Amino acid sequence: MTVDFDGVLTEPWTSPELDGLDGHILLISALSVASARPRPGIRSLVGFLSTFATVEVLTARPSSQAPDITAWLRECIPEIADSPVHSCAMELKPDFLYSEGIALHVDNDERARVSDGPTCIIWGHQTTKELLREACYILSRVPDLRVAGKPVRRLEELPSHSSTPVYRVETLTTSLKLRVVEDAIQSQNLRQIHAVAASDRHLSEMLRPEQASSPTGIHLTEYVPGQSVASRRPCTDWDVSRQVARWLVTLHEATARADGTCLISCACDAFNLCIDDVGAVRIIDAGDACWGARWIDLIWSEQLLGPWIGGSDELFESYMEFATERPSNDDVTRAIAGYYFRLHSVLRSAIHARRRDEVDLRALKMVRHRRATPPTESLLRKWAR
């Protein structure tokens, strides 16, 4: 696969920026390489493509600038820092793509299209999510696609309320879930929570480990079939509360820091927990993991899981049974405020990542109007030290 340099790897120049300048002279200047900015979303695209194939760079710039482009890649897009840089005049790009057997090329210029040759995506004003959707559709039809060295039998986008794109990848022997996380801190937190879970038996039972050696921002995990708790009939099984409580306590105490914060998952809710084929509780996605007070995580589950499992008393009692720490009254006040901010932050990210017609308004409205009200506060203060 190939990606264009100017306008794809780099942020396109706007008309006002080029006003009074000769665009062609500017773009063949070596200095314009060093001053280029990475296009927003490009690292997600490159990470997604390089999960399945080698990604190389194609540019209309002269070959003398290849070393400058390589230096820029090392600084700005290290995922493809060692990729070959092919110099090819704009009018010859279609011939190059055809002769080299390129499976997919991404450009910002319609002249790069080949009518009867390799598929070309023109990146205009599409969002990153829309761009990845186009790439997924094309890649799903490439016959010799591979992931982690294994032939891909099926690739499809999964419906999700998440703010990050999610895909299902099936090989002959495994079924994987691929998540693209553009935000570097969010991606780091997600990788860390999977690493912590992999080191503990209780945690790994609910959150499966990540596949090794994925590109930056790409998270590959085992695909777990099952119905979300929210889509099932009310689940009043006491064991769900105990499994969730034990998982939360184990995570919080394994990652506790001196400042009183820990890694919190914001993942144990009715929309993000599923019951698999053997009745075990599994976490669908831990992509909203962040650092904060452990009680925010407990409130999250009480508010967004309790109504589906027959109440919150059992969840609190189980958590306090496993935990070695109790909240203070100040901790309770701060945790409720922290829950509000975290919930609205997650909802805002989910809405902004979609076009309006893609938003499941009913589900988001149901979550948005839940509030950390009694019995949350009374239950927490009951256990306060």
Side-chain angles (χ1 to χ4, degrees):
M1 304 182 194
T2 52
V3 289
D4 183 37
F5 181 70
D6 291 299
V8 173
L9 291 177
T10 69
E11 196 169 31
W13 291 84
T14 65
S15 295
E17 288 174 325
L18 292 175
D19 188 31
L21 299 174
D22 186 316
H24 175 70
I25 296 299
L26 178 67
L27 293 180
I28 64 171
S29 164
L31 185 60
S32 66
V33 175
S35 61
R37 299 183 298 265
R39 184 166 181 173
I42 184 57
R43 294 186 70 175
S44 292
L45 174 66
V46 167
F48 182 74
L49 296 180
S50 60
T51 302
F52 303 100
T54 301
V55 177
E56 301 182 353
V57 178
L58 185 58
T59 180
R61 289 174 178 263
S63 58
S64 60
Q65 292 189 19
D68 300 309
I69 292 175
T70 298
W72 184 89
L73 291 173
R74 287 174 182 155
E75 177 70 23
C76 300
I77 311 180
E79 292 84 356
I80 55 172
D82 298 322
S83 296
V85 177
H86 304 283
S87 179
C88 182
M90 186 67 237
E91 61 274 12
L92 298 178
K93 277 187 180 181
D95 294 335
F96 175 89
L97 297 174
Y98 187 82
S99 63
E100 295 296 320
I102 303 300
L104 171 64
H105 174 66
V106 183
D107 211 297
N108 70 324
D109 194 319
E110 284 284 353
R111 291 176 294 171
R113 288 192 186 276
V114 185
S115 59
D116 59 347
T119 304
C120 183
I121 295 177
I122 303 302
W123 190 0
H125 299 289
Q126 306 99 308
T127 64
T128 305
K129 186 178 178 69
E130 292 167 339
L131 185 70
L132 291 174
R133 179 174 295 145
E134 288 187 58
C136 175
Y137 177 81
I138 294 169
L139 293 182
S140 66
R141 285 155 175 75
V142 174
D144 55 350
L145 204 65
R146 304 179 75 84
V147 62
K150 299 177 181 178
V152 173
R153 185 174 62 179
R154 179 182 180 189
L155 171 63
E156 63 178 351
E157 184 178 10
L158 290 175
S160 170
H161 297 305
S162 172
S163 61
T164 54
V166 188
Y167 306 88
R168 183 174 180 179
V169 186
E170 286 189 8
T171 69
L172 294 175
T173 57
T174 58
S175 184
L176 302 171
K177 181 183 69 178
L178 186 155
R179 181 172 296 278
V180 183
V181 180
E182 189 167 348
D183 183 85
I185 295 176
Q186 184 184 8
S187 180
Q188 179 182 349
N189 290 338
L190 180 55
R191 211 169 288 283
Q192 185 164 1
I193 197 171
H194 276 283
V196 172
S199 65
D200 183 278
R201 179 176 60 87
H202 294 313
L203 294 178
S204 62
E205 287 175 356
M206 283 181 58
L207 183 64
R208 307 307 297 163
E210 284 196 314
Q211 302 289 311
S213 304
S214 296
T216 302
I218 303 299
H219 300 267
L220 275 170
T221 55
E222 173 190 347
Y223 178 82
V224 180
Q227 287 184 303
S228 69
V229 171
S231 66
R232 296 166 61 97
R233 292 180 179 180
C235 183
T236 56
D237 188 352
W238 168 273
D239 190 58
V240 173
S241 292
R242 290 187 66 82
Q243 285 187 66
V244 168
R246 183 183 65 179
W247 194 88
L248 290 174
V249 169
T250 305
L251 173 68
H252 298 160
E253 299 196 344
T255 59
R257 300 194 294 196
D259 63 358
T261 62
C262 61
L263 197 57
I264 60 176
S265 65
C266 296
C268 294
D269 57 55
F271 310 98
N272 204 36
L273 289 178
C274 74
I275 311 297
D276 67 14
D277 297 337
V278 297
V281 180
R282 297 288 187 88
I283 293 175
I284 296 173
D285 171 40
D288 292 320
C290 62
W291 290 89
R294 60 161 64 192
W295 314 112
I296 296 174
D297 228 353
L298 185 56
I299 296 173
W300 186 281
S301 294
E302 189 273 337
Q303 288 285 292
L304 305 179
L305 177 64
W308 284 269
I309 59 175
S312 306
D313 290 358
E314 296 88 350
L315 178 65
F316 272 77
E317 290 174 13
S318 297
Y319 187 94
M320 298 306 175
E321 174 189 337
F322 293 122
T324 59
E325 184 179 334
R326 298 290 182 270
S328 67
N329 282 310
D330 285 344
D331 288 338
V332 174
T333 302
R334 286 193 294 266
I336 291 174
Y339 162 80
Y340 287 141
F341 284 115
R342 187 60 189 163
L343 175 64
H344 286 284
S345 174
V346 170
L347 286 173
R348 183 173 57 185
S349 296
I351 292 172
H352 286 180
R354 293 171 171 79
R355 297 193 307 267
R356 182 171 297 274
D357 61 342
E358 289 183 311
V359 178
D360 188 333
L361 293 175
R362 184 178 63 177
L364 290 177
K365 184 177 180 180
M366 180 167 55
V367 177
R368 180 185 296 142
H369 290 291
R370 292 194 173 276
R371 292 293 185 265
T373 56
T376 301
E377 184 169 351
S378 59
L379 281 169
L380 271 177
R381 295 201 187 280
K382 170 185 173 181
W383 292 95
R385 61 180 186 272

